[in-house]
Amino acid sequence: MPLQQALASPQMRPEGLAGAGRRFVIVLVATVLGLSTVLAAYFYVQQQEYSRFSFQNLVWEGVQLRNEHQAFRAALVEALGDLPGASMQEVVQRYDILYGRLDLLETGHANLTYQSDPRIRELLLHVNTVIRGWDKLVAAYAAGDREAGLRIAEEARAMDPTLSAFTAAINLIGAKRVDDARERMARLYAALIAAVVVICMLVFGFAFALLRQLKMTEKAHLDLRNMTVDLEQARREAEEASRAKSTFLATMSHELRTPLNAILGFADIMRQGLFGPVGSQRYLDYLDGIVKSGQHLLSLINDVLDMSRIEAGRIELRETNLDIGLAIDQALSLVAVTAEGKGVTLQHSVPPGLPQLRADERLLRQILLNLLSNAIKFTPEGGHVEVAAATLTDGGVAIRVRDTGIGMSDAQLRRIFEPFSHGDSLRARETGGSGLGLPITRRLVELHGGQIHISSRKSLGTTATLVFPVARAVTVGAVQ
Ligand code: ADP
């Protein structure tokens, strides 16, 4: 896989891989948890429903009523027939028990079920009315009214079919409830089996996806290893190429500069007529042309060399504490003749008490000379170039070179730090710049941890400001 493609591929990005895997696991765990919770809740509700209903209670309470009624009736018949062992107290006692059983039926567990069935409800109402109606008759019988006893015996006998119907109806409803419960349990088991199947499938899917992820990770590792090898190889080749470029440039510069210096030297000797005058004025003009072109070529070679040295990181700062005012004065003195020749006035303003600048003296001079020569070059006769320095509020130091020259358009300004970009190609040709001055200047400033800002208005002038950080400002008298 080509390097660019491999890096752009989403599979190859480890964070993409981990993110997708993490999301997958979270979704899976949430699904399994959610399913289990729903299932557990469903089971719980069904279980509660089932436990509320007890077939035994339902039937037992109804049967007990019938049994108590039989016992009461038997005690009454025995007492009425004066059988040995029978007594009126026994009859009253049995009636109390039967009465109590009625109360139990009304308040007991099964009552709700009884009331929910219209047939049972009707039978129970009837039984209730009749049995509770015996209250007064039992009291009368106990007081010696045999007629009352006979009436109860008659009514009690007539109650038998009603009570049988009551217990039969209870049995029926009980059986129906048992069937319902069985059906519900069957449904519950079906749901349980379905849930187990789903969870099994999920776990199977999870394992499958995990295996796939594992394979992808292994492949990504392999690709990364290959890529690292490729990168290492590319780095070695780049280093080799850079070394070859530097050697080539160094050799070429030497090879170019030596004959160029000879050309310049001989042309100058001839121009000055050291070994006799040059015959024709035209030859003198040509010699001027040779010297100018040669000087331009020399500065171009020097700029290209500087640039390549900076790019290769081969420039080391020789730092000392510099007096900013002095550095500015020295730079101004170097361009004074040129400025005077062009009719451009040079000014400078350096306030007292300015901190010293920790910088490379030669490089700072080169920075200032680049800015000053541009300012003079692009300022017409009668214009001004001013250099000023100041301490910034954060303790840093700023140096400003301002001219009243031709200035630049916004479009020119945007490309000003691109190597070989001439803002105005016609003028550049006239002025003979390499188009490397500002890119070199910016890199040199950045080597010092500083920044360069350039602002300009067409026909109004240009201001270049160098800003050095507080770490570069050395207060005079401070111990280093
Ligand atoms: P050069 O060596 O050609 O001057 P620079 O990188 O120093 O290269 O400048 C690039 C271009 O920026 C110049 O050709 C010019 O058009 C523009 N420039 C730079 N400084 C000034 C200035 N002070 N006033 C007007 N134009 C400027």
Side-chain angles (χ1 to χ4, degrees), residues 246-256:
S246 305
T247 318
F248 171 77
L249 279 172
T251 317
M252 281 307 286
S253 72
H254 177 72
E255 295 299 325
L256 289 173

Side-chain angles (χ1 to χ4, degrees), residues 152-170:
I152 298 170
E154 184 56 29
E155 285 184 16
R157 196 180 52 79
M159 271 274 282
D160 268 355
T162 311
L163 280 172
S164 295
F166 178 64
T167 44
I170 289 172

Side-chain angles (χ1 to χ4, degrees), residues 60-373:
W60 189 79
E61 283 180 21
V63 170
Q64 276 302 97
L65 180 72
R66 200 178 62 177
N67 289 350
E68 291 307 333
H69 173 259
Q70 296 292 359
F72 168 64
R73 204 178 135 216
L76 182 65
V77 170
E78 280 172 19
L80 284 170
D82 284 332
L83 289 180
S87 74
M88 210 176 286
Q89 281 84 358
E90 170 79 9
V91 174
V92 174
Q93 227 170 18
R94 280 285 152 200
Y95 180 68
D96 283 346
I97 293 172
L98 180 63
Y99 202 97
R101 180 60 50 197
L102 271 181
D103 284 348
L104 258 179
L105 263 186
E106 273 177 352
T107 54
H109 276 106
N111 187 258
L112 264 181
T113 316
Y114 296 153
Q115 296 300 332
S116 68
D117 187 284
R119 171 88 182 119
I120 298 178
R121 199 167 58 221
E122 192 189 310
L123 288 169
L124 197 59
L125 189 71
H126 176 67
V127 171
N128 226 331
T129 320
V130 174
I131 293 177
R132 287 191 199 283
W134 292 340
D135 197 18
K136 280 189 187 125
L137 290 173
V138 171
Y141 173 66
D145 183 351
R146 192 176 154 74
E147 273 306 306
L150 286 171
R151 211 176 126 199
I152 298 170
E154 184 56 29
E155 285 184 16
R157 196 180 52 79
M159 271 274 282
D160 268 355
T162 311
L163 280 172
S164 295
F166 178 64
T167 44
I170 289 172
N171 270 332
L172 202 70
I173 200 173
K176 197 171 167 301
R177 283 295 172 98
V178 169
D179 277 353
D180 281 357
R182 249 191 228 122
E183 224 170 85
R184 202 179 295 145
M185 282 313 278
R187 275 204 305 273
L188 212 60
Y189 282 124
L192 184 68
I193 289 168
V196 168
V197 168
V198 169
I199 290 177
C200 280
M201 276 162 65
L202 278 173
V203 169
F204 180 71
F206 177 57
F208 178 72
L210 218 62
L211 273 177
R212 248 190 84 207
Q213 289 270 0
L214 212 68
K215 261 193 202 149
M216 269 161 64
T217 315
E218 269 171 15
K219 191 178 168 310
H221 276 160
L222 200 73
D223 287 347
L224 267 177
R225 229 191 357 244
N226 291 343
M227 232 167 19
T228 315
V229 173
D230 287 353
L231 278 173
E232 181 57 27
Q233 173 73 13
R235 190 183 63 82
R236 267 200 303 269
E237 280 171 14
E239 272 177 10
E240 194 60 41
S242 168
R243 254 197 306 276
K245 188 186 87 177
S246 305
T247 318
F248 171 77
L249 279 172
T251 317
M252 281 307 286
S253 72
H254 177 72
E255 295 299 325
L256 289 173
R257 272 198 289 197
T258 315
L260 196 55
N261 280 327
I263 291 170
L264 281 172
F266 291 140
D268 208 30
I269 289 171
M270 287 168 76
R271 203 167 51 162
Q272 290 177 34
L274 273 183
F275 303 108
V278 178
S280 157
Q281 179 56 39
R282 202 177 256 196
Y283 287 147
L284 267 176
D285 293 345
Y286 289 165
L287 282 171
D288 270 349
I290 291 171
V291 171
K292 267 195 195 139
S293 302
Q295 276 166 349
H296 174 58
L297 204 57
L298 195 61
S299 83
L300 202 69
I301 291 170
N302 287 338
D303 279 358
V304 170
L305 259 177
D306 277 352
M307 194 69 187
S308 70
R309 256 194 243 121
I310 295 172
E311 299 275 72
R314 293 222 313 250
I315 288 207
E316 273 181 28
L317 298 186
R318 284 199 207 108
E319 295 178 359
T320 46
N321 294 347
L322 301 175
D323 183 314
I324 297 173
L326 199 64
I328 290 174
D329 279 349
Q330 283 171 352
L332 281 173
S333 70
L334 288 173
V335 293
V337 178
T338 321
E340 205 180 299
K342 270 203 77 180
V344 173
T345 320
L346 296 180
Q347 296 162 343
H348 72 281
S349 116
V350 179
L354 205 63
Q356 289 185 327
L357 188 67
R358 182 130 194 99
D360 183 309
E361 187 175 7
R362 188 182 67 82
L363 298 184
L364 181 67
R365 189 178 313 122
Q366 189 175 347
I367 292 169
L368 290 174
L369 283 178
N370 279 350
L371 294 179
L372 279 170
S373 62

Side-chain angles (χ1 to χ4, degrees), residues 374-375 377-378 403 407-408 416 421-424 433-435 437-439 462:
N374 272 351
K377 202 166 26 173
F378 297 107
D403 64 62
M408 280 175 275
I416 202 162
S421 93
H422 296 287
D424 177 342
S434 66
L438 287 178
T462 303

